[in-house]
Amino acid sequence: MEETVIVKPEELHHLIQKKLTAAGLSEKHADIVAEHLVFADASGIHSHGAVRVDYYAERIAKGGMNRTPEITFEETGPSSGIVHGQNGVGQVVVLEATNYAIEMAKKSGIAAVGVRQTSHSGALSYYVRKAAQENLLALSMCQSDPMVVPFGGKENYFGTNPIAFAAPRKNGAPLVFDMATTVQAWGKILDARSKNKNIPDNWAVDASGKPTTNPHHVHGLLPISGPKGFGLMMMADILSGMLLGLPFGKHVSSMYNDLTKGRDLGQFILLIDPQRFTDLEQFKESIETMVTELHEIPPAEGFQQVYYPGEINQLNYEKYMKNGIPIEKNIYAYLLSDTVHFDQYSGADAFAQSGTGK
Ligand code: NAI
């Protein structure tokens, strides 16, 4: 991260909400997005925090995110349903879908909910965490624009398709694990570009499909662990795109191409009530035991301790919500300014430079 300023969560929330309402979003929807982005930055997921406001503001202002969607829930069975998002802002649509799914899973034990026509939904931890706070097990995944070369190929096909999982635990916040299925998220390449720093050769390939260490030459990202990440991103796309009759793979709409149109993206949410399988308190106790046992494992050379998967984000969240959140100086300056957006994304390809005012 570049030079940062420490911003109180309430101030960050207020500035984001103000910018999005200036772009034309309702106070209510802007409030939901602000809460989500503050959560992401506070968790240390800076690739999906305030850095996105400029892009969202441009898309909202240009009509590519529906400011007044009528979000509806079509129940297709006792444990299944489809949320029609009408290309509303992703954080609003997917939150509402998660709320429908929570209600359904509490009633029927399981909820498999697909979201049709949403926009970019941000950090998936946000949604699965909400479900786990209601004592449910949660899995969520989504498709994103094609930026990843398939294992063995040199042209992009799938997106960075993230997968997030959460479980309730006895003490403390839910256990949440959330990852893109690429070695690194696109945001990390942007970070290296802005610092003119080389990247490791297992992150990305250039236009000829060869591994590159130059962040400016990146033309495709690499899946985590070769064919295994490749398989996971395929799974996420089938469940969140194809299953809902939406474009899949290389046909998924681009983030930046046409900011006047909705992206028609999909998301998949699967919630399970542990009480249908085991005793809830015992289950939560077992998660606690697992966490303790993981913490007791001696660290390998070069490590200070074993963290449970996702713990680092939770530790950030606790610290930053209390002490203030580090935000890049140029992002903070943009949030304070009168500029609604920098008009820099429209027509850009997926590998365009992004960031605020850069
Ligand atoms: P990351 O690589 O920073 O972390 C992945 C996971 O590994 C996290 O749960 C993290 O807590 C855990 N982790 C990291 N270091 C660890 C350690 N030393 N010990 C134990 N656990 C550790 O995350 P990534 O892959 O960069 O994803 C960032 C965000 O991007 C996610 O929130 C994801 O949902 C979001 N995303 C959203 C997309 C969308 O279209 N909505 C597309 C792609 C990503």
PDB file of all heavy atoms in Angstrom, residues 45 47-48 120-125 142-144 160-162 164 176-185 188 303 307-313, ligand 1:
ATOM      1  N   ILE A  45      -8.870  -5.989   3.449  1.00  0.00           N
ATOM      2  CA  ILE A  45      -9.129  -6.386   2.047  1.00  0.00           C
ATOM      3  C   ILE A  45      -9.206  -5.094   1.231  1.00  0.00           C
ATOM      4  O   ILE A  45     -10.259  -4.703   0.730  1.00  0.00           O
ATOM      5  CB  ILE A  45     -10.439  -7.226   1.938  1.00  0.00           C
ATOM      6  CG1 ILE A  45     -10.459  -8.350   2.978  1.00  0.00           C
ATOM      7  CG2 ILE A  45     -10.603  -7.781   0.531  1.00  0.00           C
ATOM      8  CD1 ILE A  45     -11.766  -9.137   3.040  1.00  0.00           C
ATOM      9  N   SER A  47      -8.179  -4.317  -1.627  1.00  0.00           N
ATOM     10  CA  SER A  47      -8.511  -4.444  -3.055  1.00  0.00           C
ATOM     11  C   SER A  47     -10.014  -4.276  -3.281  1.00  0.00           C
ATOM     12  O   SER A  47     -10.453  -4.042  -4.407  1.00  0.00           O
ATOM     13  CB  SER A  47      -8.057  -5.807  -3.577  1.00  0.00           C
ATOM     14  OG  SER A  47      -8.617  -6.844  -2.797  1.00  0.00           O
ATOM     15  N   HIS A  48     -10.829  -4.423  -2.251  1.00  0.00           N
ATOM     16  CA  HIS A  48     -12.286  -4.355  -2.397  1.00  0.00           C
ATOM     17  C   HIS A  48     -12.936  -3.357  -1.446  1.00  0.00           C
ATOM     18  O   HIS A  48     -14.093  -3.505  -1.073  1.00  0.00           O
ATOM     19  CB  HIS A  48     -12.891  -5.756  -2.245  1.00  0.00           C
ATOM     20  CG  HIS A  48     -12.593  -6.617  -3.440  1.00  0.00           C
ATOM     21  ND1 HIS A  48     -11.342  -7.107  -3.673  1.00  0.00           N
ATOM     22  CD2 HIS A  48     -13.362  -6.995  -4.475  1.00  0.00           C
ATOM     23  CE1 HIS A  48     -11.348  -7.785  -4.806  1.00  0.00           C
ATOM     24  NE2 HIS A  48     -12.563  -7.727  -5.312  1.00  0.00           N
ATOM     25  N   HIS A 120     -20.966  -6.026  -9.609  1.00  0.00           N
ATOM     26  CA  HIS A 120     -19.811  -6.476  -8.811  1.00  0.00           C
ATOM     27  C   HIS A 120     -20.172  -6.479  -7.323  1.00  0.00           C
ATOM     28  O   HIS A 120     -20.638  -5.479  -6.794  1.00  0.00           O
ATOM     29  CB  HIS A 120     -18.638  -5.515  -9.064  1.00  0.00           C
ATOM     30  CG  HIS A 120     -17.393  -5.898  -8.370  1.00  0.00           C
ATOM     31  ND1 HIS A 120     -16.891  -5.192  -7.302  1.00  0.00           N
ATOM     32  CD2 HIS A 120     -16.541  -6.928  -8.573  1.00  0.00           C
ATOM     33  CE1 HIS A 120     -15.778  -5.761  -6.888  1.00  0.00           C
ATOM     34  NE2 HIS A 120     -15.541  -6.818  -7.645  1.00  0.00           N
ATOM     35  N   SER A 121     -19.934  -7.616  -6.658  1.00  0.00           N
ATOM     36  CA  SER A 121     -20.472  -7.756  -5.302  1.00  0.00           C
ATOM     37  C   SER A 121     -19.452  -7.517  -4.194  1.00  0.00           C
ATOM     38  O   SER A 121     -19.783  -7.630  -3.020  1.00  0.00           O
ATOM     39  CB  SER A 121     -21.095  -9.146  -5.146  1.00  0.00           C
ATOM     40  OG  SER A 121     -20.121 -10.120  -5.445  1.00  0.00           O
ATOM     41  N   GLY A 122     -18.196  -7.211  -4.543  1.00  0.00           N
ATOM     42  CA  GLY A 122     -17.203  -6.863  -3.526  1.00  0.00           C
ATOM     43  C   GLY A 122     -16.618  -8.071  -2.821  1.00  0.00           C
ATOM     44  O   GLY A 122     -16.500  -9.154  -3.400  1.00  0.00           O
ATOM     45  N   ALA A 123     -16.260  -7.887  -1.561  1.00  0.00           N
ATOM     46  CA  ALA A 123     -15.637  -8.953  -0.769  1.00  0.00           C
ATOM     47  C   ALA A 123     -16.724  -9.905  -0.259  1.00  0.00           C
ATOM     48  O   ALA A 123     -17.634  -9.499   0.460  1.00  0.00           O
ATOM     49  CB  ALA A 123     -14.883  -8.347   0.404  1.00  0.00           C
ATOM     50  N   LEU A 124     -16.600 -11.186  -0.628  1.00  0.00           N
ATOM     51  CA  LEU A 124     -17.677 -12.128  -0.277  1.00  0.00           C
ATOM     52  C   LEU A 124     -17.742 -12.434   1.222  1.00  0.00           C
ATOM     53  O   LEU A 124     -18.780 -12.863   1.725  1.00  0.00           O
ATOM     54  CB  LEU A 124     -17.506 -13.430  -1.067  1.00  0.00           C
ATOM     55  CG  LEU A 124     -17.495 -13.312  -2.600  1.00  0.00           C
ATOM     56  CD1 LEU A 124     -17.719 -14.678  -3.228  1.00  0.00           C
ATOM     57  CD2 LEU A 124     -18.532 -12.331  -3.117  1.00  0.00           C
ATOM     58  N   SER A 125     -16.642 -12.186   1.930  1.00  0.00           N
ATOM     59  CA  SER A 125     -16.664 -12.430   3.391  1.00  0.00           C
ATOM     60  C   SER A 125     -17.845 -11.759   4.047  1.00  0.00           C
ATOM     61  O   SER A 125     -18.423 -12.266   5.001  1.00  0.00           O
ATOM     62  CB  SER A 125     -15.450 -11.837   4.098  1.00  0.00           C
ATOM     63  OG  SER A 125     -14.343 -11.737   3.318  1.00  0.00           O
ATOM     64  N   CYS A 142     -18.889 -16.440  -6.775  1.00  0.00           N
ATOM     65  CA  CYS A 142     -19.428 -15.692  -7.905  1.00  0.00           C
ATOM     66  C   CYS A 142     -18.475 -15.743  -9.087  1.00  0.00           C
ATOM     67  O   CYS A 142     -17.331 -16.156  -8.968  1.00  0.00           O
ATOM     68  CB  CYS A 142     -19.748 -14.256  -7.505  1.00  0.00           C
ATOM     69  SG  CYS A 142     -18.325 -13.197  -7.243  1.00  0.00           S
ATOM     70  N   GLN A 143     -19.021 -15.315 -10.227  1.00  0.00           N
ATOM     71  CA  GLN A 143     -18.208 -15.251 -11.442  1.00  0.00           C
ATOM     72  C   GLN A 143     -17.682 -13.824 -11.583  1.00  0.00           C
ATOM     73  O   GLN A 143     -18.221 -12.893 -10.988  1.00  0.00           O
ATOM     74  CB  GLN A 143     -19.067 -15.637 -12.648  1.00  0.00           C
ATOM     75  CG  GLN A 143     -20.408 -14.967 -12.657  1.00  0.00           C
ATOM     76  CD  GLN A 143     -21.229 -15.192 -13.921  1.00  0.00           C
ATOM     77  OE1 GLN A 143     -22.081 -14.396 -14.239  1.00  0.00           O
ATOM     78  NE2 GLN A 143     -21.011 -16.258 -14.650  1.00  0.00           N
ATOM     79  N   SER A 144     -16.629 -13.651 -12.346  1.00  0.00           N
ATOM     80  CA  SER A 144     -16.149 -12.296 -12.641  1.00  0.00           C
ATOM     81  C   SER A 144     -15.553 -12.295 -14.045  1.00  0.00           C
ATOM     82  O   SER A 144     -15.464 -13.350 -14.683  1.00  0.00           O
ATOM     83  CB  SER A 144     -15.149 -11.830 -11.580  1.00  0.00           C
ATOM     84  OG  SER A 144     -13.967 -12.578 -11.657  1.00  0.00           O
ATOM     85  N   THR A 160     -11.617 -14.347 -11.848  1.00  0.00           N
ATOM     86  CA  THR A 160     -10.893 -14.627 -10.597  1.00  0.00           C
ATOM     87  C   THR A 160     -11.825 -15.266  -9.562  1.00  0.00           C
ATOM     88  O   THR A 160     -11.473 -15.378  -8.380  1.00  0.00           O
ATOM     89  CB  THR A 160     -10.306 -13.323 -10.012  1.00  0.00           C
ATOM     90  OG1 THR A 160     -11.388 -12.397  -9.827  1.00  0.00           O
ATOM     91  CG2 THR A 160      -9.285 -12.692 -10.930  1.00  0.00           C
ATOM     92  N   ASN A 161     -12.983 -15.650 -10.016  1.00  0.00           N
ATOM     93  CA  ASN A 161     -14.090 -16.290  -9.297  1.00  0.00           C
ATOM     94  C   ASN A 161     -13.835 -16.669  -7.827  1.00  0.00           C
ATOM     95  O   ASN A 161     -13.313 -17.748  -7.535  1.00  0.00           O
ATOM     96  CB  ASN A 161     -14.535 -17.524 -10.086  1.00  0.00           C
ATOM     97  CG  ASN A 161     -14.875 -17.187 -11.535  1.00  0.00           C
ATOM     98  OD1 ASN A 161     -14.887 -16.020 -11.909  1.00  0.00           O
ATOM     99  ND2 ASN A 161     -15.166 -18.195 -12.335  1.00  0.00           N
ATOM    100  N   PRO A 162     -14.212 -15.804  -6.905  1.00  0.00           N
ATOM    101  CA  PRO A 162     -13.910 -16.055  -5.493  1.00  0.00           C
ATOM    102  C   PRO A 162     -14.867 -17.048  -4.825  1.00  0.00           C
ATOM    103  O   PRO A 162     -16.005 -17.229  -5.273  1.00  0.00           O
ATOM    104  CB  PRO A 162     -14.085 -14.671  -4.857  1.00  0.00           C
ATOM    105  CG  PRO A 162     -15.094 -13.998  -5.715  1.00  0.00           C
ATOM    106  CD  PRO A 162     -14.899 -14.528  -7.111  1.00  0.00           C
ATOM    107  N   ALA A 164     -16.092 -18.067  -0.768  1.00  0.00           N
ATOM    108  CA  ALA A 164     -15.999 -17.709   0.655  1.00  0.00           C
ATOM    109  C   ALA A 164     -16.814 -18.693   1.489  1.00  0.00           C
ATOM    110  O   ALA A 164     -17.873 -19.166   1.066  1.00  0.00           O
ATOM    111  CB  ALA A 164     -16.514 -16.287   0.884  1.00  0.00           C
ATOM    112  N   VAL A 176     -14.205 -17.067   9.103  1.00  0.00           N
ATOM    113  CA  VAL A 176     -14.515 -16.700   7.711  1.00  0.00           C
ATOM    114  C   VAL A 176     -13.274 -16.879   6.854  1.00  0.00           C
ATOM    115  O   VAL A 176     -12.219 -16.325   7.177  1.00  0.00           O
ATOM    116  CB  VAL A 176     -14.967 -15.216   7.608  1.00  0.00           C
ATOM    117  CG1 VAL A 176     -15.231 -14.833   6.157  1.00  0.00           C
ATOM    118  CG2 VAL A 176     -16.200 -14.954   8.461  1.00  0.00           C
ATOM    119  N   PHE A 177     -13.398 -17.660   5.798  1.00  0.00           N
ATOM    120  CA  PHE A 177     -12.303 -17.815   4.847  1.00  0.00           C
ATOM    121  C   PHE A 177     -12.789 -17.377   3.473  1.00  0.00           C
ATOM    122  O   PHE A 177     -13.861 -17.787   3.032  1.00  0.00           O
ATOM    123  CB  PHE A 177     -11.836 -19.285   4.812  1.00  0.00           C
ATOM    124  CG  PHE A 177     -10.751 -19.507   3.801  1.00  0.00           C
ATOM    125  CD1 PHE A 177      -9.486 -18.985   4.015  1.00  0.00           C
ATOM    126  CD2 PHE A 177     -10.993 -20.216   2.632  1.00  0.00           C
ATOM    127  CE1 PHE A 177      -8.470 -19.167   3.075  1.00  0.00           C
ATOM    128  CE2 PHE A 177      -9.982 -20.404   1.692  1.00  0.00           C
ATOM    129  CZ  PHE A 177      -8.719 -19.877   1.914  1.00  0.00           C
ATOM    130  N   ASP A 178     -12.020 -16.552   2.800  1.00  0.00           N
ATOM    131  CA  ASP A 178     -12.510 -15.915   1.570  1.00  0.00           C
ATOM    132  C   ASP A 178     -11.348 -15.685   0.612  1.00  0.00           C
ATOM    133  O   ASP A 178     -10.388 -15.006   0.969  1.00  0.00           O
ATOM    134  CB  ASP A 178     -13.128 -14.558   1.987  1.00  0.00           C
ATOM    135  CG  ASP A 178     -13.615 -13.737   0.818  1.00  0.00           C
ATOM    136  OD1 ASP A 178     -13.845 -14.294  -0.260  1.00  0.00           O
ATOM    137  OD2 ASP A 178     -13.786 -12.515   1.020  1.00  0.00           O
ATOM    138  N   MET A 179     -11.429 -16.250  -0.567  1.00  0.00           N
ATOM    139  CA  MET A 179     -10.290 -16.095  -1.500  1.00  0.00           C
ATOM    140  C   MET A 179     -10.726 -16.050  -2.941  1.00  0.00           C
ATOM    141  O   MET A 179     -11.705 -16.659  -3.345  1.00  0.00           O
ATOM    142  CB  MET A 179      -9.332 -17.278  -1.329  1.00  0.00           C
ATOM    143  CG  MET A 179      -9.999 -18.604  -1.629  1.00  0.00           C
ATOM    144  SD  MET A 179      -8.821 -19.901  -1.964  1.00  0.00           S
ATOM    145  CE  MET A 179      -9.793 -20.935  -3.078  1.00  0.00           C
ATOM    146  N   ALA A 180      -9.948 -15.313  -3.745  1.00  0.00           N
ATOM    147  CA  ALA A 180     -10.067 -15.415  -5.189  1.00  0.00           C
ATOM    148  C   ALA A 180      -9.414 -16.737  -5.580  1.00  0.00           C
ATOM    149  O   ALA A 180      -8.558 -17.251  -4.847  1.00  0.00           O
ATOM    150  CB  ALA A 180      -9.331 -14.249  -5.843  1.00  0.00           C
ATOM    151  N   THR A 181      -9.794 -17.307  -6.734  1.00  0.00           N
ATOM    152  CA  THR A 181      -9.200 -18.587  -7.124  1.00  0.00           C
ATOM    153  C   THR A 181      -7.950 -18.392  -7.994  1.00  0.00           C
ATOM    154  O   THR A 181      -7.461 -19.331  -8.604  1.00  0.00           O
ATOM    155  CB  THR A 181     -10.251 -19.482  -7.830  1.00  0.00           C
ATOM    156  OG1 THR A 181     -10.969 -18.685  -8.780  1.00  0.00           O
ATOM    157  CG2 THR A 181     -11.213 -20.076  -6.845  1.00  0.00           C
ATOM    158  N   THR A 182      -7.449 -17.159  -8.032  1.00  0.00           N
ATOM    159  CA  THR A 182      -6.165 -16.892  -8.695  1.00  0.00           C
ATOM    160  C   THR A 182      -5.083 -16.761  -7.627  1.00  0.00           C
ATOM    161  O   THR A 182      -5.381 -16.488  -6.463  1.00  0.00           O
ATOM    162  CB  THR A 182      -6.223 -15.567  -9.483  1.00  0.00           C
ATOM    163  OG1 THR A 182      -6.956 -14.609  -8.728  1.00  0.00           O
ATOM    164  CG2 THR A 182      -6.862 -15.770 -10.835  1.00  0.00           C
ATOM    165  N   VAL A 183      -3.816 -16.936  -8.042  1.00  0.00           N
ATOM    166  CA  VAL A 183      -2.707 -16.841  -7.093  1.00  0.00           C
ATOM    167  C   VAL A 183      -2.781 -15.505  -6.368  1.00  0.00           C
ATOM    168  O   VAL A 183      -2.624 -15.420  -5.155  1.00  0.00           O
ATOM    169  CB  VAL A 183      -1.343 -16.986  -7.818  1.00  0.00           C
ATOM    170  CG1 VAL A 183      -0.191 -16.844  -6.825  1.00  0.00           C
ATOM    171  CG2 VAL A 183      -1.254 -18.308  -8.552  1.00  0.00           C
ATOM    172  N   GLN A 184      -3.021 -14.439  -7.133  1.00  0.00           N
ATOM    173  CA  GLN A 184      -3.188 -13.123  -6.518  1.00  0.00           C
ATOM    174  C   GLN A 184      -4.357 -12.414  -7.172  1.00  0.00           C
ATOM    175  O   GLN A 184      -4.629 -12.634  -8.359  1.00  0.00           O
ATOM    176  CB  GLN A 184      -1.931 -12.267  -6.699  1.00  0.00           C
ATOM    177  CG  GLN A 184      -0.776 -12.685  -5.824  1.00  0.00           C
ATOM    178  CD  GLN A 184      -1.064 -12.605  -4.334  1.00  0.00           C
ATOM    179  OE1 GLN A 184      -2.014 -11.965  -3.902  1.00  0.00           O
ATOM    180  NE2 GLN A 184      -0.242 -13.255  -3.536  1.00  0.00           N
ATOM    181  N   ALA A 185      -5.020 -11.577  -6.403  1.00  0.00           N
ATOM    182  CA  ALA A 185      -6.108 -10.763  -6.953  1.00  0.00           C
ATOM    183  C   ALA A 185      -5.497  -9.697  -7.864  1.00  0.00           C
ATOM    184  O   ALA A 185      -4.327  -9.336  -7.730  1.00  0.00           O
ATOM    185  CB  ALA A 185      -6.880 -10.111  -5.818  1.00  0.00           C
ATOM    186  N   LYS A 188      -3.524  -6.722  -6.442  1.00  0.00           N
ATOM    187  CA  LYS A 188      -2.122  -6.840  -6.025  1.00  0.00           C
ATOM    188  C   LYS A 188      -1.186  -6.512  -7.201  1.00  0.00           C
ATOM    189  O   LYS A 188      -0.094  -5.997  -7.006  1.00  0.00           O
ATOM    190  CB  LYS A 188      -1.836  -8.252  -5.502  1.00  0.00           C
ATOM    191  CG  LYS A 188      -2.803  -8.683  -4.404  1.00  0.00           C
ATOM    192  CD  LYS A 188      -2.126  -8.825  -3.054  1.00  0.00           C
ATOM    193  CE  LYS A 188      -3.122  -9.008  -1.920  1.00  0.00           C
ATOM    194  NZ  LYS A 188      -3.728 -10.323  -1.827  1.00  0.00           N
ATOM    195  N   PHE A 303       7.962 -18.293  10.395  1.00  0.00           N
ATOM    196  CA  PHE A 303       6.596 -17.912  10.786  1.00  0.00           C
ATOM    197  C   PHE A 303       6.543 -17.627  12.287  1.00  0.00           C
ATOM    198  O   PHE A 303       7.292 -18.225  13.057  1.00  0.00           O
ATOM    199  CB  PHE A 303       5.605 -19.041  10.462  1.00  0.00           C
ATOM    200  CG  PHE A 303       5.397 -19.253   8.991  1.00  0.00           C
ATOM    201  CD1 PHE A 303       6.271 -20.058   8.262  1.00  0.00           C
ATOM    202  CD2 PHE A 303       4.346 -18.645   8.330  1.00  0.00           C
ATOM    203  CE1 PHE A 303       6.098 -20.247   6.898  1.00  0.00           C
ATOM    204  CE2 PHE A 303       4.150 -18.834   6.970  1.00  0.00           C
ATOM    205  CZ  PHE A 303       5.030 -19.636   6.250  1.00  0.00           C
ATOM    206  N   TYR A 307      -2.093 -19.138  12.067  1.00  0.00           N
ATOM    207  CA  TYR A 307      -3.395 -18.471  12.132  1.00  0.00           C
ATOM    208  C   TYR A 307      -4.408 -19.405  11.489  1.00  0.00           C
ATOM    209  O   TYR A 307      -4.082 -20.076  10.505  1.00  0.00           O
ATOM    210  CB  TYR A 307      -3.374 -17.165  11.327  1.00  0.00           C
ATOM    211  CG  TYR A 307      -2.438 -16.116  11.888  1.00  0.00           C
ATOM    212  CD1 TYR A 307      -1.161 -15.947  11.356  1.00  0.00           C
ATOM    213  CD2 TYR A 307      -2.840 -15.301  12.937  1.00  0.00           C
ATOM    214  CE1 TYR A 307      -0.293 -14.979  11.864  1.00  0.00           C
ATOM    215  CE2 TYR A 307      -1.980 -14.333  13.452  1.00  0.00           C
ATOM    216  CZ  TYR A 307      -0.711 -14.184  12.909  1.00  0.00           C
ATOM    217  OH  TYR A 307       0.123 -13.227  13.421  1.00  0.00           O
ATOM    218  N   TYR A 308      -5.630 -19.450  11.985  1.00  0.00           N
ATOM    219  CA  TYR A 308      -6.635 -20.250  11.254  1.00  0.00           C
ATOM    220  C   TYR A 308      -6.934 -19.518   9.942  1.00  0.00           C
ATOM    221  O   TYR A 308      -6.751 -18.294   9.853  1.00  0.00           O
ATOM    222  CB  TYR A 308      -7.893 -20.506  12.100  1.00  0.00           C
ATOM    223  CG  TYR A 308      -8.770 -19.300  12.368  1.00  0.00           C
ATOM    224  CD1 TYR A 308      -9.605 -18.773  11.383  1.00  0.00           C
ATOM    225  CD2 TYR A 308      -8.790 -18.687  13.628  1.00  0.00           C
ATOM    226  CE1 TYR A 308     -10.406 -17.671  11.628  1.00  0.00           C
ATOM    227  CE2 TYR A 308      -9.588 -17.592  13.883  1.00  0.00           C
ATOM    228  CZ  TYR A 308     -10.395 -17.092  12.872  1.00  0.00           C
ATOM    229  OH  TYR A 308     -11.185 -15.996  13.103  1.00  0.00           O
ATOM    230  N   PRO A 309      -7.377 -20.254   8.899  1.00  0.00           N
ATOM    231  CA  PRO A 309      -7.639 -19.605   7.622  1.00  0.00           C
ATOM    232  C   PRO A 309      -8.625 -18.444   7.788  1.00  0.00           C
ATOM    233  O   PRO A 309      -9.736 -18.641   8.292  1.00  0.00           O
ATOM    234  CB  PRO A 309      -8.229 -20.727   6.759  1.00  0.00           C
ATOM    235  CG  PRO A 309      -7.645 -21.975   7.340  1.00  0.00           C
ATOM    236  CD  PRO A 309      -7.578 -21.714   8.827  1.00  0.00           C
ATOM    237  N   GLY A 310      -8.215 -17.260   7.424  1.00  0.00           N
ATOM    238  CA  GLY A 310      -9.078 -16.080   7.525  1.00  0.00           C
ATOM    239  C   GLY A 310      -8.832 -15.251   8.778  1.00  0.00           C
ATOM    240  O   GLY A 310      -9.326 -14.127   8.891  1.00  0.00           O
ATOM    241  N   GLU A 311      -8.078 -15.778   9.726  1.00  0.00           N
ATOM    242  CA  GLU A 311      -7.901 -15.087  11.019  1.00  0.00           C
ATOM    243  C   GLU A 311      -7.276 -13.704  10.877  1.00  0.00           C
ATOM    244  O   GLU A 311      -7.639 -12.763  11.589  1.00  0.00           O
ATOM    245  CB  GLU A 311      -7.037 -15.959  11.944  1.00  0.00           C
ATOM    246  CG  GLU A 311      -6.847 -15.352  13.326  1.00  0.00           C
ATOM    247  CD  GLU A 311      -6.236 -16.343  14.307  1.00  0.00           C
ATOM    248  OE1 GLU A 311      -5.771 -17.415  13.878  1.00  0.00           O
ATOM    249  OE2 GLU A 311      -6.226 -16.027  15.513  1.00  0.00           O
ATOM    250  N   ILE A 312      -6.343 -13.592   9.926  1.00  0.00           N
ATOM    251  CA  ILE A 312      -5.631 -12.313   9.785  1.00  0.00           C
ATOM    252  C   ILE A 312      -6.616 -11.185   9.474  1.00  0.00           C
ATOM    253  O   ILE A 312      -6.511 -10.081  10.015  1.00  0.00           O
ATOM    254  CB  ILE A 312      -4.541 -12.455   8.695  1.00  0.00           C
ATOM    255  CG1 ILE A 312      -3.431 -13.332   9.272  1.00  0.00           C
ATOM    256  CG2 ILE A 312      -4.011 -11.102   8.225  1.00  0.00           C
ATOM    257  CD1 ILE A 312      -2.368 -13.737   8.311  1.00  0.00           C
ATOM    258  N   ASN A 313      -7.604 -11.480   8.639  1.00  0.00           N
ATOM    259  CA  ASN A 313      -8.601 -10.453   8.314  1.00  0.00           C
ATOM    260  C   ASN A 313      -9.439 -10.077   9.534  1.00  0.00           C
ATOM    261  O   ASN A 313      -9.774  -8.907   9.748  1.00  0.00           O
ATOM    262  CB  ASN A 313      -9.509 -10.919   7.165  1.00  0.00           C
ATOM    263  CG  ASN A 313      -8.736 -11.071   5.868  1.00  0.00           C
ATOM    264  OD1 ASN A 313      -8.616 -12.170   5.321  1.00  0.00           O
ATOM    265  ND2 ASN A 313      -8.169  -9.982   5.390  1.00  0.00           N
TER     266      ASN A 313
HETATM  267  P1  NAI B   1      -6.069 -13.069   0.162  1.00  0.00           P
HETATM  268  O1  NAI B   1      -5.117 -13.799  -0.747  1.00  0.00           O
HETATM  269  O2  NAI B   1      -5.591 -11.830   0.799  1.00  0.00           O
HETATM  270  O3  NAI B   1      -6.548 -14.068   1.317  1.00  0.00           O
HETATM  271  C1  NAI B   1      -7.216 -15.279   1.041  1.00  0.00           C
HETATM  272  C2  NAI B   1      -7.601 -15.953   2.349  1.00  0.00           C
HETATM  273  O4  NAI B   1      -6.421 -16.495   2.953  1.00  0.00           O
HETATM  274  C3  NAI B   1      -8.199 -14.994   3.390  1.00  0.00           C
HETATM  275  O5  NAI B   1      -9.280 -15.628   4.052  1.00  0.00           O
HETATM  276  C4  NAI B   1      -7.040 -14.745   4.345  1.00  0.00           C
HETATM  277  O6  NAI B   1      -7.458 -14.406   5.657  1.00  0.00           O
HETATM  278  C5  NAI B   1      -6.353 -16.075   4.319  1.00  0.00           C
HETATM  279  N1  NAI B   1      -4.934 -15.960   4.695  1.00  0.00           N
HETATM  280  C6  NAI B   1      -4.017 -15.135   4.143  1.00  0.00           C
HETATM  281  N2  NAI B   1      -2.828 -15.293   4.769  1.00  0.00           N
HETATM  282  C7  NAI B   1      -3.011 -16.232   5.720  1.00  0.00           C
HETATM  283  C8  NAI B   1      -2.151 -16.850   6.693  1.00  0.00           C
HETATM  284  N3  NAI B   1      -0.876 -16.521   6.820  1.00  0.00           N
HETATM  285  N4  NAI B   1      -2.679 -17.775   7.500  1.00  0.00           N
HETATM  286  C9  NAI B   1      -3.987 -18.131   7.412  1.00  0.00           C
HETATM  287  N5  NAI B   1      -4.848 -17.594   6.513  1.00  0.00           N
HETATM  288  C10 NAI B   1      -4.357 -16.658   5.682  1.00  0.00           C
HETATM  289  O7  NAI B   1      -7.447 -12.767  -0.597  1.00  0.00           O
HETATM  290  P2  NAI B   1      -7.691 -12.646  -2.169  1.00  0.00           P
HETATM  291  O8  NAI B   1      -7.661 -13.983  -2.799  1.00  0.00           O
HETATM  292  O9  NAI B   1      -6.789 -11.587  -2.677  1.00  0.00           O
HETATM  293  O10 NAI B   1      -9.212 -12.105  -2.201  1.00  0.00           O
HETATM  294  C11 NAI B   1      -9.505 -10.776  -1.764  1.00  0.00           C
HETATM  295  C12 NAI B   1     -10.974 -10.488  -1.853  1.00  0.00           C
HETATM  296  O11 NAI B   1     -11.367 -10.320  -3.200  1.00  0.00           O
HETATM  297  C13 NAI B   1     -11.938 -11.508  -1.278  1.00  0.00           C
HETATM  298  O12 NAI B   1     -12.738 -10.834  -0.338  1.00  0.00           O
HETATM  299  C14 NAI B   1     -12.803 -11.936  -2.463  1.00  0.00           C
HETATM  300  O13 NAI B   1     -14.146 -12.226  -2.114  1.00  0.00           O
HETATM  301  C15 NAI B   1     -12.711 -10.714  -3.316  1.00  0.00           C
HETATM  302  N6  NAI B   1     -13.016 -10.933  -4.728  1.00  0.00           N
HETATM  303  C16 NAI B   1     -14.226 -10.526  -5.195  1.00  0.00           C
HETATM  304  C17 NAI B   1     -14.554 -10.666  -6.526  1.00  0.00           C
HETATM  305  C18 NAI B   1     -15.900 -10.254  -7.016  1.00  0.00           C
HETATM  306  O14 NAI B   1     -16.105 -10.258  -8.221  1.00  0.00           O
HETATM  307  N7  NAI B   1     -16.839  -9.914  -6.163  1.00  0.00           N
HETATM  308  C19 NAI B   1     -13.590 -11.239  -7.501  1.00  0.00           C
HETATM  309  C20 NAI B   1     -12.363 -11.671  -6.887  1.00  0.00           C
HETATM  310  C21 NAI B   1     -12.077 -11.499  -5.551  1.00  0.00           C
END
